[in-house]
Amino acid sequence: MVSELMTEYGNNRCLIREISEICNKKAAEIGRENLCDFSIGNPSVPSPLAVREAMLDILTNENPLNIHSYTSAPGMMETRDAIAENLNKRFGTSYTGKNLYITSGASTSLVCAIKAVLKDADSEIIGIAPYFAEYKAFTEGNGGRFKLVPADTEKFQINFDALEALITEKTQGVIINSPNNPSGVIYSAETLRKLSALLKEKSCEYGHIIYLISDEPYRELVYGDEPLPFTAKFYNNTIVCYSYSKSFSLPGERIGYVLVPGEADNWEEVYSAVAGGARASGFICAPSLMQKVIARCADIEPDISVYRKNRDFLYKSLTEIGYECAEPAGAFYLFVKAPNGDATPFCMKAMEDNLFIVPGSEFGCPTHFRAAYCVDYEMIERSIPLFKKAFEEATK
Ligand code: PLP
């Protein structure tokens, strides 16, 4: 016999990937130019030139034994220092490389952080809908319990009454994600202040720290003029999980980090627990070539103009048709209310017309659907009549 839970996770794959695969099959039959695929968050902008040049230069000019050998488990110190300096310049913090643990992307970072804070089989982690559904698997797969705060479908900030009601003496952590997948919404400074006050109050009440796990793979994809509020500055006991998958368009290269700020209570112990989480999961030594690339490129800013143009056009076109949509301020997703209020049948019907979008049930918010606009502009243009037809059929 093998683990029932793992078998279940293995068999019930993530719906986004299912839809993406159905779409790929259909593309093989009828040609990709005849369908509109908004299913998956794969960056459509090539990684920055400086990143690709760094890879080539390292591969051409450095000793291959050094490039491809094991690094220390938490990552190369020059990489960790370069990231710390970049964060300090941008957010006025005073981190050093010792606050950073290099990982193979945000998924790995999240598993390390979750493992670090779970104390026993009763420990609970709370997520906020709409949310990245893997949080549940990452928590339960590591022996914890997962609870979900229902979405604030007005503004897609945090439903604080529901969050407060879910926090108990078993709560070890709350996971947030801003800019958010799937809503594209950014949590405001006011939301983060309120969250910080609540977590401080509840940590006091229950006599132990409730950690804030801040999942930030879209941190650099922000379209407004206002800088993104940096979560760790609002709450000391924050563990930041980052990835270069989206900002540097490197999802297949697997590189990211966990940041344990020096302001966290007993931060060195928390850092050790993160390192232990990595070790116990077999996640030591992130890809060494990528570590070297990040050491050189930590200050590179991604060009988000393509995503901004896609966002502006898709948002304008869909709202003109009559769709209601959360304000898309960051990441590369639109989260749109299904006209008939139930996104699953709406998405299934759209799929018959070769429009591939993801039902919000996947993100704990079944009234909405997600359209990933990290795609070709030309495809968005082609998709508008399909969105119009779907809207008209659902509202007639
Ligand atoms: N967190 C969120 C919110 C995501 O959207 C994703 C990927 O889409 C991840 C984490 C995982 O990112 P990574 O590819 O770095 O593991």
Side-chain angles (χ1 to χ4, degrees), residues 13-195:
R13 296 189 332 148
C14 143
L15 184 61
I16 303 168
R17 290 195 174 274
E18 293 284 344
I19 294 177
S20 170
E21 273 173 33
I22 296 171
C23 180
N24 289 340
K25 262 198 199 141
K26 197 80 190 270
E29 285 165 24
I30 65 169
R32 197 158 280 282
E33 67 285 2
N34 294 313
L35 50 77
C36 294
D37 180 7
F38 292 94
S39 62
I40 205 161
N42 236 340
S44 55
V45 173
S47 55
L49 184 60
V51 169
R52 282 175 282 141
E53 282 175 349
M55 282 184 210
L56 271 180
D57 185 55
I58 294 164
L59 283 170
T60 313
N61 296 315
E62 289 196 21
N63 177 347
L65 280 180
N66 287 344
I67 301 171
H68 303 297
S69 53
Y70 286 121
T71 66
S72 74
M76 289 165 31
M77 199 38 107
E78 63 181 290
T79 309
R80 295 156 66 193
D81 281 340
I83 296 167
E85 275 167 35
N86 173 265
L87 294 172
N88 294 342
K89 270 187 269 183
R90 291 164 59 203
F91 302 115
T93 47
S94 50
Y95 306 136
T96 73
K98 289 186 179 162
N99 297 106
L100 288 136
Y101 193 100
I102 309 297
T103 65
S104 308
S107 304
T108 312
S109 304
L110 286 159
V111 169
C112 296
I114 289 169
K115 256 184 135 55
V117 305
L118 288 176
K119 273 200 307 211
D120 53 41
D122 283 335
S123 294
E124 292 174 352
I125 301 279
I126 299 177
I128 318 269
Y131 78 120
F132 180 60
E134 296 304 273
Y135 299 159
K136 186 169 185 293
F138 295 162
T139 303
E140 293 176 349
N142 285 295
R145 297 198 182 143
F146 186 78
K147 287 174 163 179
L148 188 63
V149 175
D152 151 22
T153 49
E154 282 286 299
K155 293 202 162 16
F156 288 94
Q157 297 287 315
I158 294 175
N159 179 339
F160 277 102
D161 290 341
L163 171 59
E164 186 165 358
L166 285 187
I167 298 178
T168 68
E169 73 277 3
K170 296 173 187 159
T171 307
Q172 284 292 117
V174 173
I175 308 184
I176 59 166
N177 165 227
S178 170
N180 185 266
N181 172 13
S183 74
V185 164
I186 289 174
Y187 286 165
S188 65
E190 189 197 339
T191 293
L192 295 175
R193 266 194 291 273
K194 247 176 123 171
L195 180 60

Side-chain angles (χ1 to χ4, degrees), residues 41 104-108 110 132 135 138 177 179-181 215 217-218 242-246 251 254-255 333 370:
S104 308
S107 304
T108 312
L110 286 159
F132 180 60
Y135 299 159
F138 295 162
N177 165 227
N180 185 266
N181 172 13
D215 179 23
Y218 302 96
Y242 185 78
S243 164
Y244 291 93
S245 292
K246 316 290 174 171
R254 314 308 300 143
I255 188 79
Y333 308 103
R370 187 189 82 171

Side-chain angles (χ1 to χ4, degrees), residues 358-371:
V358 181
S361 53
E362 180 68 4
F363 310 99
C365 186
T367 47
H368 286 60
F369 65 85
R370 187 189 82 171

